[in-house]
């Protein structure tokens, strides 16, 4: 999931974490606070990215969801 650009991108210069909007919609499933959620997500990141996320105060932006992905399985 985090290996796909539409789900995860870390912009180190801007100190911004870009995540899938799915993680915003279901945010309560990943922790009670933003800090809890970042800690949860960091388990799936590379060691280098995880270290950066833990050491810096980041802003989080959620990517637009591509609804066309849902239609791909329905086309004949």
């Amino acid at each position: 999931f985090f290996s796909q650009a539409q789900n995860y991108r870390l912009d180190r210069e801007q100190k911004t974490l870009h995540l899938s909007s799915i993680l915003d919609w279901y945010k309560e499933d990943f922790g009670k606070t933003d800090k809890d959620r970042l800690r949860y997500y960091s388990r799936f990141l590379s060691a280098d990215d995880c270290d950066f996320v833990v050491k810096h105060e980041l802003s989080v932006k959620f990517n637009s969801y591509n609804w066309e992905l849902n239609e791909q399985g329905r086309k004949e």
Side-chain angles (χ1 to χ4, degrees), residues 12-75:
R12 291 171 185 260
E13 273 188 32
Q14 297 295 317
K15 293 186 181 169
T16 303
L17 189 59
H18 299 266
L19 298 171
S20 168
S21 55
I22 292 171
L23 297 173
D24 186 33
W25 301 337
Y26 297 100
K27 63 185 167 193
E28 292 83 19
D29 294 345
F30 305 106
K32 292 185 181 203
T33 67
D34 288 341
K35 190 173 185 173
D36 290 341
R37 292 180 197 111
L38 283 174
R39 190 176 307 119
Y40 181 88
Y41 306 148
S42 68
R43 300 181 337 187
F44 304 101
L45 308 180
S46 69
D48 192 40
D49 282 0
C50 180
D51 188 50
F52 188 87
V53 168
V54 170
K55 289 182 178 178
H56 295 88
E57 182 125 357
L58 302 177
S59 62
V60 176
K61 293 188 179 182
F62 294 97
N63 302 327
S64 298
Y65 186 76
N66 181 356
W67 290 101
E68 292 178 10
L69 296 174
N70 293 340
E71 296 298 320
Q72 288 179 359
R74 296 182 187 161
K75 293 180 182 176

